[in-house]
Amino acid sequence: MESGKSKHLFDLHHHVMSIIIQHKQKYGFWRTQTGVINSLFSHVLKNNDLTSTAGYDAIIQYHNEGKRTCKEVEDFLKARAGIEEKYAKDLLGLSKKVCGHSEMNTLKRSLDIFKLQMENVSLAHLQLAQSMREEVKKLEEFRERQKEARKKIEQHMDALHKQKVSQFKKTLDSKKTYEQKCRDKEEADQNVYRNTNNSKNIEKFNAKAQQAKLNSEEADRSYQQNVSTLGNIRDEWLKEHMNACEILEKQAIERINFVRNTVWTHLNLLSQQCVTSDELYEEVRKSLEQCNIQEDIDHFVNLRRTGDKPPGALVYENFYSGQRASLATPLAPQMPPPVNRREALPVPGSPSGGPIYSTVQDTEYSVVRH
């Protein structure tokens, strides 16, 4: 039974919302002669059954679904912010790793700028994650505000519905009592009429008829009073129902607009992050444009220069040829030339008639000649 009622409300809800959308697209808001904007909810969510709450239930279900949508969008954006934060932290850790530590000159400068800008990109993504969470917080606060405002309306309307239903049942009961008392009066009058000639019981029948008349009149007054009270309750309920419809429709408009703007802002943040990242990447590209290949090669050559002459060719030396040459002509040890500290002594001459001394240069230096 409950599932059938839920399905009926679900179908009614979608039918009503389709009507509202059609009227919105065709007419927009309805305006009275006083210029007051009337709620479409209050115009198309009516019912002939005084105790029916089908239209009101459809509105409440619509808002519950809207609240669920807000929560789903919150959870989605929270998860997206978490992904952004994790990516930023991973990128920040990557930017701290060694990259081109042994490189030199212009390429090293470009790689250093590359790492620096990667760090800046990671910080920008961290800021993006924080901005996303701020937007989620705004949506959460908006949802809670609407929830509290709608809670007051629902409590007030539920009380009016219960009062209306209770008075309606009371009125129906008084109507049944009134109708029964009227039938009792008619029956008592018929008894009086039929027993007119019965002098013995005529007074008894007249007394019953008189009492039945009093009872019917009392029931009539009670019935009329209940109908009047129900009318007052209905008027109050209808007034509050119109106000509630206007407030709830305003909430629905605000919710749709807020969720739409939240998603729009989220996408703007992502687009801005793309622009920021590209600006940081552009700094790296500018540095790479300044990277001079020939200059880096020249820098390496000048820094690590070892000489410009290659080593000579290695000559083959026969082991045995070297031995025969050394045996045939023993090499005298080469002594360094003596250092003359003074002039050479003169060669002594022989006095006339004296002995002749031989010098070292003479082959027969040991022979003394006279």
Side-chain angles (χ1 to χ4, degrees):
M1 186 69 180
E2 291 294 331
S3 61
K5 182 178 180 182
S6 299
K7 185 178 184 303
H8 172 70
L9 290 177
F10 180 79
D11 295 338
L12 177 61
H13 159 72
H14 283 280
H15 175 66
V16 168
M17 292 314 301
S18 64
I19 295 175
I20 291 175
I21 293 173
Q22 292 174 5
H23 278 82
K24 286 281 189 181
Q25 294 174 347
K26 188 173 182 180
Y27 302 111
F29 285 106
W30 294 346
R31 291 182 177 271
T32 62
Q33 294 180 353
T34 58
V36 178
I37 297 178
N38 290 329
S39 169
L40 285 175
F41 285 2
S42 63
H43 281 279
V44 300
L45 294 173
K46 295 179 180 179
N47 196 292
N48 293 329
D49 187 357
L50 183 60
T51 60
S52 174
T53 59
Y56 176 78
D57 292 340
I59 296 175
I60 296 302
Q61 182 178 355
Y62 175 65
H63 276 278
N64 289 335
E65 292 174 354
K67 180 177 66 175
R68 189 180 305 112
T69 299
C70 288
K71 189 64 172 63
E72 290 171 352
V73 173
E74 287 175 29
D75 294 339
F76 186 93
L77 297 185
K78 282 181 182 178
R80 181 65 178 83
I83 294 173
E84 199 69 33
E85 183 177 16
K86 184 178 183 301
Y87 171 75
K89 290 181 178 180
D90 290 345
L91 187 60
L92 182 61
L94 179 63
S95 67
K96 301 298 182 182
K97 291 186 176 182
V98 175
C99 181
H101 178 71
S102 301
E103 193 53 59
M104 58 183 64
N105 210 37
T106 62
L107 181 57
K108 179 174 178 58
R109 288 196 295 270
S110 295
L111 292 176
D112 290 342
I113 293 176
F114 171 65
K115 286 182 59 181
L116 175 62
Q117 297 306 334
M118 287 301 104
E119 181 180 356
N120 292 334
V121 169
S122 68
L123 296 177
H125 278 281
L126 281 176
Q127 181 60 43
L128 172 61
Q130 180 62 30
S131 299
M132 287 181 176
R133 287 195 170 92
E134 291 176 359
E135 293 301 317
V136 171
K137 186 66 176 177
K138 293 178 183 177
L139 180 57
E140 183 179 359
E141 292 175 351
F142 171 80
R143 177 173 58 83
E144 289 298 323
R145 285 196 306 269
Q146 282 210 335
K147 177 182 175 182
E148 292 300 321
R150 191 166 58 252
K151 183 179 179 181
K152 296 178 180 179
I153 295 175
E154 290 181 17
Q155 290 176 346
H156 182 58
M157 292 305 298
D158 288 344
L160 288 177
H161 287 316
K162 291 179 181 179
Q163 184 182 12
K164 181 184 63 172
V165 171
S166 175
Q167 184 61 35
F168 180 76
K169 291 180 178 180
K170 186 177 180 180
T171 302
L172 290 182
D173 291 339
S174 65
K175 179 182 178 181
K176 291 179 181 179
T177 303
Y178 164 70
E179 291 175 348
Q180 184 61 45
K181 296 301 182 182
C182 288
R183 283 192 290 268
D184 293 344
K185 176 182 177 296
E186 289 180 355
E187 184 179 356
D189 291 341
Q190 288 294 329
N191 289 332
V192 171
Y193 177 76
R194 285 193 298 265
N195 295 278
T196 303
N197 299 324
N198 189 349
S199 59
K200 183 178 179 180
N201 295 323
I202 191 63
E203 293 182 2
K204 179 180 178 180
F205 288 122
N206 285 332
K208 287 184 178 181
Q210 185 63 28
Q211 185 61 44
K213 180 182 178 182
L214 294 176
N215 292 337
S216 66
E217 291 175 351
E218 178 65 25
D220 183 28
R221 286 192 297 271
S222 177
Y223 175 42
Q224 290 185 26
Q225 183 177 1
N226 286 327
V227 170
S228 177
T229 302
L230 180 61
N232 294 333
I233 293 176
R234 174 196 170 278
D235 293 341
E236 181 183 1
W237 165 82
L238 184 58
K239 177 182 176 182
E240 295 300 325
H241 177 75
M242 298 285 286
N243 292 334
C245 286
E246 291 182 3
I247 295 174
L248 292 175
E249 184 173 344
K250 181 180 178 182
Q251 278 197 352
I253 295 172
E254 291 176 350
R255 178 187 60 80
I256 294 173
N257 183 61
F258 198 94
V259 172
R260 182 192 65 172
N261 291 344
T262 298
V263 176
W264 193 292
T265 302
H266 177 79
L267 297 177
N268 284 346
L269 291 173
L270 293 176
S271 297
Q272 182 59 45
Q273 176 60 40
C274 292
V275 174
T276 301
S277 296
D278 189 67
E279 290 176 352
L280 297 173
Y281 296 150
E282 182 63 23
E283 295 299 321
V284 181
R285 287 191 286 266
K286 289 180 180 179
S287 174
L288 292 174
E289 289 176 351
Q290 300 301 319
C291 180
N292 190 309
I293 300 175
Q294 189 59 47
E295 182 180 340
D296 284 6
I297 297 297
D298 293 342
H299 177 80
F300 165 74
V301 169
N302 294 331
L303 186 65
R304 299 287 189 265
R305 178 186 294 272
T306 59
D308 54 0
K309 294 182 178 180
L314 183 65
V315 179
Y316 170 76
E317 296 180 359
N318 188 283
F319 177 78
Y320 296 102
S321 297
Q323 280 190 339
R324 286 194 298 270
S326 62
L327 291 175
T329 56
L331 297 176
Q334 295 182 358
M335 300 297 291
V339 179
N340 293 328
R341 300 180 182 276
R342 60 182 70 180
E343 295 181 359
L345 295 174
V347 178
S350 298
S352 60
I356 299 174
Y357 297 92
S358 298
T359 64
V360 176
Q361 288 79 8
D362 295 334
T363 58
E364 297 178 353
Y365 68 92
S366 61
V367 181
V368 178
R369 293 177 299 173
H370 297 278

